[in-house]
Amino acid sequence: MIPLAEHPERNVIRLELRRNVILQSLEGELRDELEPHLSIVDARKGDFLVRQGVREMAQYFILDGILSSASSATPRARR
């Protein structure tokens, strides 16, 4: 993960984030406040963003590509 501010394509990424359906409603001041908390993850086909059972609080904004999800219930969850 690379902080957005340090990414070599940070200006292009900022423009892409402004087009995001969720983020485009943020005013400039709120966007500026959020930016230091953003990191860029370059994932490849087959990479996992989240694994089942991990209680991680993260939000991903997909800028390019396709996101697929798959889940299965564990025997404990089926009870």
Side-chain angles (χ1 to χ4, degrees):
M1 281 195 289
I2 302 170
L4 175 57
E6 296 174 19
H7 196 280
E9 296 180 34
R10 62 187 162 269
N11 293 327
V12 172
I13 294 170
R14 285 181 182 124
L15 290 173
E16 291 178 5
L17 288 169
R18 286 186 183 150
R19 287 187 227 136
N20 178 278
V21 172
I22 296 169
L23 297 177
Q24 67 185 205
S25 64
L26 294 179
E27 295 185 19
E29 187 176 304
L30 288 174
R31 203 175 317 119
D32 293 344
E33 190 176 322
L34 177 64
E35 189 172 301
H37 303 283
L38 298 176
S39 296
I40 305 304
V41 177
D42 289 317
R44 297 188 173 146
K45 184 176 182 176
D47 286 351
F48 290 89
L49 297 179
V50 179
R51 293 197 179 269
Q52 188 170 336
V54 175
R55 296 180 181 256
E56 184 177 306
M57 295 296 292
Q59 176 66 53
Y60 293 92
F61 300 103
I62 309 301
L63 299 178
D64 185 36
I66 298 171
L67 176 67
S68 298
S69 67
S71 64
S72 63
T74 62
R76 183 178 177 190
R78 290 183 194 143
R79 291 186 208 160

